[in-house]
């Protein structure tokens, strides 16, 4: 069944949040990204992952590089998308990374 998967690019942006600012930052991010699917048709899925008290990760799944350029610009591979006012919540610049899915071979034997 894995042969039917569409190749996607998974973009992971990690934020390190200042002490005491986690809840406010979480609220700001959720409010900002809520409308992204309507703005960026190549955005297949997205979610916010929380690791209180100081880490938040925004994960987005994109149909293609062209779609990522439409969202993040030509420097999408290395440059994070920073929302207005976001820096005041952060202890360090956003870290952005990209992944693609790797197929796992079928399992065999009793221990699988």
């Amino acid at each position: 069944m894995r042969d039917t998967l569409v190749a996607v690019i998974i973009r992971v942006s990690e934020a390190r949040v200042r002490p005491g600012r986690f809840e406010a930052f979480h609220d700001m991010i959720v409010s900002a990204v809520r409308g992204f699917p309507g703005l960026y048709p190549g955005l297949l899925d997205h979610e916010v992952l929380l690791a209180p008290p100081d880490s938040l990760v925004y994960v987005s799944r994109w149909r293609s590089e062209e779609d990522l350029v439409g969202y993040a610009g030509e420097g999408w591979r290395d440059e994070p998308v920073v929302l207005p006012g976001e820096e005041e919540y952060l202890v360090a610049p956003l870290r952005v990374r990209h992944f693609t899915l790797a197929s796992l071979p079928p399992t065999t034997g009793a221990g699988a």
Side-chain angles (χ1 to χ4, degrees), residues 2 4 6 13 18 20 27 31 33 63 73 77 82 96 100 102 105 108 111:
R2 289 190 78 66
T4 62
V6 175
S13 298
R18 294 183 190 277
D27 292 345
S31 177
V33 303
R63 180 178 48 213
R77 284 182 177 85
V82 179
V96 64
T100 55
T108 59

Side-chain angles (χ1 to χ4, degrees), residues 40-90:
Y40 305 103
L43 177 62
L44 301 173
D45 187 26
H46 66 153
E47 60 196 339
V48 175
L49 306 177
L50 307 175
D54 65 354
S55 187
L56 181 145
V57 176
Y58 176 61
V59 179
S60 53
R61 291 165 190 84
W62 296 87
R63 180 178 48 213
S64 69
E65 288 186 24
E66 293 79 24
D67 292 313
L68 266 168
V69 169
Y71 165 67
E74 292 293 331
W76 68 268
R77 284 182 177 85
D78 303 311
E79 299 172 15
V81 172
V82 179
L83 301 172
E86 188 171 357
E87 298 94 347
E88 75 180 69
Y89 295 95
L90 305 179

